Amino acid sequence: NIKRVWRGDERERADAKRRLGLTTTIGNPGSYAPLAYGQTTDKSCGIATQVQVLKAHNLLPAGDPRPQETALIEEAERRGFKKPGEGTSPEMKGQLLLARGLLLNKRANASWSELEDAILRQNIVLVGVDVRFLWSGYETRPRRASHDLLVTGAELDSRTKEMLGVYINDSGDDPPKGGLFVPVGQFKKAFTGDFAEIR
C-alpha cells in the first residue's frame, strides 16, 4: 500500500517515489560516484574532496588518487592552505581548486536555503558536516565531529520540485561512499553552515 509507505520515514517516502518514477535527479551523482575513495588520513577529508573535483575536471591524471592526495596535502601545507597535522579550515576550503583556475562561491555561517540554492543550480558543492548525523556509531558523541564531503546532486519531487534528498561522495565513511543518497531532513541536521559551490 503506497499510502502506508509514504507515511513512513523520509527515506521510505523518497524510495517509493523514485520507484514510481515520480522524481527527477539533478546534478552529476552518476559521473562523480566512481571518483569516491578512502581518504589517506583522518584529517584529509578537505583535500580528498578536492582530489575528486580535480579528477572530474581532468586537472589530475588518471590513476590511484591516494598518492595524488598526499602530494596535494604537502602543497596545501606549503602554501598555507592547511596547517600540518590539522584539517582544512572553512576559510581555506577549496583553495587548491581556486589555485587551478576553478571558480568557487564560498559561504560561511550559511543557511540551509543558501546551500539548497547552490545544489539546485546543479553545481558540485563541497560541504562541511557533522558526521554524528551521517555515520553509524557517532550518534552519541557529545561534541561535533566536523568533516568535509561533496554533494554531487539531488532528488526532487517531479511535481512539487521539493528536494527529497542529496547525493554525496564521502571519503571518510567506512567504506567510502560514492553517490550515496541521504534524505534531506537528515542532511539538514548534518550541515554545519559552510560550503564552497564549484562553478
Side-chain angles (χ1 to χ4, degrees):
N1 184 301
I2 296 304
K3 290 184 179 178
R4 182 185 62 79
V5 172
W6 286 4
R7 283 201 300 266
D9 68 22
E10 60 177 345
R11 182 180 296 277
E12 291 177 330
R13 291 196 300 274
D15 286 345
K17 288 185 177 184
R18 281 189 293 183
R19 287 195 302 271
L20 291 169
L22 301 176
T23 65
T24 302
T25 304
I26 63 168
N28 296 290
S31 60
Y32 263 80
L35 298 174
Y37 72 96
Q39 62 197 58
T40 62
T41 77
D42 63 354
K43 300 288 187 182
S44 61
C45 54
I47 305 297
T49 57
Q50 294 176 86
V51 168
Q52 295 169 64
V53 173
L54 291 171
K55 280 186 169 290
H57 286 265
N58 298 311
L59 294 172
L60 284 177
D64 188 349
R66 291 167 183 80
Q68 296 171 339
E69 180 191 303
T70 299
L72 287 175
I73 289 172
E74 293 172 357
E75 178 186 338
E77 292 176 351
R78 185 174 66 251
R79 300 180 71 168
F81 300 159
K82 177 182 181 299
K83 293 181 180 178
E86 296 185 11
T88 305
S89 69
E91 299 76 32
M92 292 293 153
K93 195 185 297 293
Q95 286 299 119
L96 291 168
L97 305 179
L98 280 172
R100 284 158 175 78
L102 297 181
L103 298 177
L104 303 184
N105 175 21
K106 296 170 68 170
R107 301 301 299 266
N109 301 313
S111 66
W112 169 258
S113 63
E114 290 173 297
L115 175 60
E116 188 174 41
D117 287 345
I119 297 168
L120 290 173
R121 285 190 286 269
Q122 303 195 49
N123 290 318
I124 303 301
V125 191
L126 202 169
V127 182
V129 297
D130 181 345
V131 298
R132 293 178 300 174
F133 298 98
L134 297 177
W135 295 353
S136 177
Y138 277 68
E139 304 92 338
T140 60
R141 291 199 175 192
R143 292 172 51 183
R144 189 168 85 172
S146 297
H147 180 56
D148 285 341
L149 49 73
L150 293 179
V151 172
T152 60
E155 200 75 15
L156 308 182
D157 183 298
S158 297
R159 184 178 61 84
T160 66
K161 306 307 179 187
E162 172 194 3
M163 187 177 291
L164 303 174
V166 299
Y167 292 96
I168 65 170
N169 275 21
D170 189 348
S171 63
D173 204 352
D174 186 19
K177 303 297 191 302
L180 177 69
F181 178 78
V182 180
V184 70
Q186 181 183 0
F187 200 75
K188 275 184 178 181
K189 292 176 183 175
F191 176 48
T192 58
D194 66 272
F195 68 87
E197 178 185 2
I198 302 152
R199 297 183 180 274

